[in-house]
Amino acid sequence: MSTWSTLSFQDSASPLMEQMIFFHDHTMIILILITILITFMISSILLNSFMNRFLLEGQEIETFWTLAPGLLLIFIAFPSLRLLYLLDESLNPMITIKVLAHQWYWSYEYSDFPNIEFDSYMIPQNESELWNFRLLDVDNRTTLPINIPIRFLITSDDVIHSWAMPSMGMKMDAVPGRLNQSFTSINRSGLFFGQCSEICGANHSFMPIVIESIPLKSFVQWINNQSLDGWM
């Protein structure tokens, strides 16, 4: 999760987020090199007291400053297209989670398992325990297994919301009357925090998202416990 001293991305929790971070670093290296080169050229021009009065044209330098940006764009475009195709929809999700946004909480339904659905509200500050994260923890966490392809079906019951999980590289709008879908696979256990990322009303800042990722064996046990609670 983000802290006050965090300036970069959160640690990735999915393969797609890893690729996004790699692409960001790749692009930033190119931008830094361009910035250094341009700064050097500007400094040289400003500090140089000589000039060429007879310079009318320069085919070599014009060729260079035409081809160089094109090559740099190619170095950025190919990794970008690769990442775009990696972000395409997965064909074989093993678990489907339905996410319904409300003012101002989230509802989750595990469509592959009967009677497993719940609402997720932010824990108020006056009810928060010492181990809860202020304004980020919820009463019912979304429990998911690691290393399993997961599909999210996201919509809204009232206004436009946005279901965002930065550490997984996910951000999907929840639009009333429209069903959006997103895919991910969590590659490590832990707690991951997100929030609504579309201004949706007075309590927009108070509808956090918490995903708890656990091994598959523990997830199956959690599913069985939830099913028993539902029947009772």
Side-chain angles (χ1 to χ4, degrees):
M1 63 179 291
S2 294
T3 61
W4 289 107
S5 59
T6 301
L7 298 177
S8 58
F9 292 107
Q10 297 182 22
D11 293 338
S12 64
S14 69
L16 294 179
M17 187 58 186
E18 285 183 0
Q19 295 300 318
M20 289 184 185
I21 294 176
F22 292 155
F23 175 69
H24 169 268
D25 295 343
H26 168 79
T27 308
M28 286 303 298
I29 290 173
I30 295 177
L31 293 178
I32 290 172
L33 293 176
I34 293 173
T35 303
I36 293 173
L37 176 63
I38 297 300
T39 304
F40 172 76
M41 293 176 64
I42 293 175
S43 302
S44 299
I45 292 172
L46 293 177
L47 299 176
N48 186 9
S49 59
F50 298 99
M51 60 180 295
N52 189 344
R53 295 184 301 158
F54 305 103
L55 180 62
L56 298 178
E57 62 179 16
Q59 296 294 334
E60 294 82 2
I61 193 171
E62 289 182 5
T63 302
F64 171 76
W65 71 41
T66 301
L67 293 179
L71 292 175
L72 290 174
L73 289 176
I74 290 175
F75 277 108
I76 295 175
F78 279 103
S80 175
L81 292 173
R82 174 180 174 273
L83 178 61
L84 186 64
Y85 281 101
L86 285 175
L87 292 174
D88 202 2
E89 299 178 355
S90 172
L91 298 178
N92 297 307
M94 299 183 64
I95 296 176
T96 298
I97 308 295
K98 294 180 181 177
V99 182
L100 182 61
H102 306 271
Q103 289 181 315
W104 287 273
Y105 63 97
W106 300 95
S107 296
Y108 298 93
E109 178 184 341
Y110 290 68
S111 355
D112 303 294
F113 309 98
N115 303 321
I116 299 183
E117 53 183 281
F118 53 85
D119 298 330
S120 181
Y121 290 86
M122 185 192 75
I123 299 177
Q125 189 171 351
N126 57 352
E127 300 178 9
S128 179
E129 302 290 346
L130 291 176
W131 54 84
N132 294 134
F133 292 99
R134 177 179 175 272
L135 302 183
L136 282 178
D137 230 327
V138 295
D139 53 357
N140 291 312
R141 296 170 176 170
T142 308
T143 304
L144 295 173
I146 60 174
N147 299 323
I148 297 293
I150 303 169
R151 173 174 59 184
F152 291 89
L153 300 177
I154 303 168
T155 188
S156 173
D157 189 45
D158 33 54
V159 299
I160 298 177
H161 301 264
S162 184
W163 197 89
M165 184 58 60
S167 58
M168 298 179 189
M170 295 179 61
K171 182 179 182 295
M172 184 63 64
D173 287 344
V175 183
R178 178 173 178 175
L179 195 64
N180 290 329
Q181 64 178 353
S182 183
F183 297 83
T184 192
S185 175
I186 308 172
N187 57 13
R188 60 189 175 93
S189 299
L191 285 178
F192 307 106
F193 297 88
Q195 288 178 300
C196 178
S197 297
E198 186 74 27
I199 296 178
C200 55
N203 289 333
H204 157 69
S205 302
F206 305 109
M207 48 185 306
I209 305 160
V210 180
I211 288 181
E212 182 178 359
S213 61
I214 57 178
L216 182 59
K217 184 177 180 180
S218 301
F219 176 74
V220 172
Q221 183 178 0
W222 179 83
I223 288 292
N224 292 332
N225 295 336
Q226 294 293 317
S227 300
L228 291 175
D229 293 341
W231 282 109
M232 294 176 63

